[in-house]
């Protein structure tokens, strides 16, 4: 699942969380296409008890 800025409250909470923890599981991919290079970072956090909106995202 991708988290975009159109879910502003959820997006901000997740950004704040990942900015304040030590990330142990991170994957980076780079793709070239359409005249640009895209770099994506993936983080895995199985424990979402800290997330207030977790009840709104049942399959998260």
């Amino acid at each position: 699942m991708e988290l975009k800025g159109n879910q502003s409250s959820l997006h901000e909470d997740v950004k704040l969380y990942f900015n304040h923890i030590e990330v142990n599981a991170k994957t980076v991919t780079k793709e070239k296409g359409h005249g640009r290079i895209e770099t994506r970072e993936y983080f895995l956090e199985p424990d979402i008890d800290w997330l207030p909106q977790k009840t709104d995202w049942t399959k998260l």
Side-chain angles (χ1 to χ4, degrees), residues 31-45:
E31 295 178 8
K32 183 178 180 181
H34 303 287
R36 63 180 179 250
I37 297 173
E38 293 184 9
T39 303
R40 293 184 177 96
E41 294 180 285
Y42 301 88
F43 304 92
L44 175 61
E45 177 54 66

Side-chain angles (χ1 to χ4, degrees), residues 12-57:
E12 189 61 30
D13 287 344
V14 171
K15 276 181 22 182
L16 287 170
Y17 177 78
F18 277 104
N19 284 336
H20 289 95
I21 66 163
E22 181 179 331
V23 176
N24 295 318
K26 174 179 162 181
T27 302
V28 178
T29 62
K30 291 186 179 185
E31 295 178 8
K32 183 178 180 181
H34 303 287
R36 63 180 179 250
I37 297 173
E38 293 184 9
T39 303
R40 293 184 177 96
E41 294 180 285
Y42 301 88
F43 304 92
L44 175 61
E45 177 54 66
D47 178 15
I48 61 167
D49 287 341
W50 57 270
L51 185 63
Q53 300 95 334
K54 68 183 175 198
T55 57
D56 297 335
W57 297 85

